Amino acid sequence: MSDTLAALIAAARDAATRAYAPYSGFHVGAALLLKNGDVVTGANVENASYGLTLCAETTAIAKIANEGWIGELAEVAIIGGRPDGDNLIGSDPVNPCGRCRQILNEAAERSERDILVHCASGDGKTVNSYKLSELLPAAFGPKDLGLLD
Ligand code: THU
């Protein structure tokens, strides 16, 4: 694994410590690598009205969009599991949910990149990397509304 990927996964793991997930007890962190090398993170935010939960990827994308950086995305790392001190318990990589794939696609199209999405297990032993186009083939996005060249 490259140093850049290891650092991105470490940032996602750190973000997961700030999850607000009292209902599921499942803490997810997402780290967005920007084209300039900066990293922006997010974690899931749950709600007593369960269906209103915001996923880690969504909170992270909202942060870059609000900074004017939605077209600056290069790569994404996601990690999740049940917290145990500073560790996350879980051997299955966390794959982005369907809604998050669509939200990631918005930034990917704006960034003019088929971004890599690195999906890590909480125990850190498994990382599966995909192109977003594999996770969300034939996506609908800003290009379909004539907003891109
Ligand atoms: N979750 C994420 O943050 N990202 C995903 O892509 C999948 C699910 C969160 C939502 C909820 O707080 C918890 O994981 C359990 O579903």
Side-chain angles (χ1 to χ4, degrees):
M1 185 187 302
S2 72
D3 289 350
T4 305
L5 178 54
L8 198 62
I9 292 170
R13 179 186 293 283
D14 181 59
T17 65
R18 295 183 287 281
Y20 174 70
Y23 304 105
S24 73
F26 193 76
H27 290 201
V28 183
L32 309 182
L33 177 66
L34 305 186
K35 291 173 182 174
N36 68 359
D38 285 355
V39 173
V40 175
T41 62
N44 50 333
V45 179
E46 297 188 344
N47 191 281
S49 180
Y50 295 170
L52 300 184
T53 289
L54 300 175
C55 288
E57 303 92 312
T58 295
T59 62
I61 291 289
K63 285 168 71 173
I64 66 166
N66 281 176
E67 296 291 349
W69 303 333
I70 198 158
E72 300 302 317
L73 186 60
E75 292 186 28
V76 180
I78 305 161
I79 195 167
R82 302 202 173 273
D84 179 28
D86 286 342
N87 296 318
L88 289 170
I89 297 171
S91 53
D92 292 327
V94 172
N95 300 320
C97 79
R99 181 173 187 265
C100 287
R101 294 175 195 207
Q102 180 68 26
I103 286 171
L104 289 171
N105 182 69
E106 187 76 19
E109 281 195 24
R110 287 292 188 179
S111 302
E112 298 179 312
R113 292 214 182 167
D114 189 4
I115 60 166
L116 280 176
V117 181
H118 307 284
C119 304
S121 58
D123 64 13
K125 290 183 180 165
T126 307
V127 181
N128 293 333
S129 299
Y130 306 94
K131 292 178 180 176
L132 184 61
S133 63
E134 291 180 85
L135 298 174
L136 188 69
F140 178 84
K143 67 178 183 321
D144 296 293
L145 297 176
L147 296 184
L148 298 173
D149 294 336

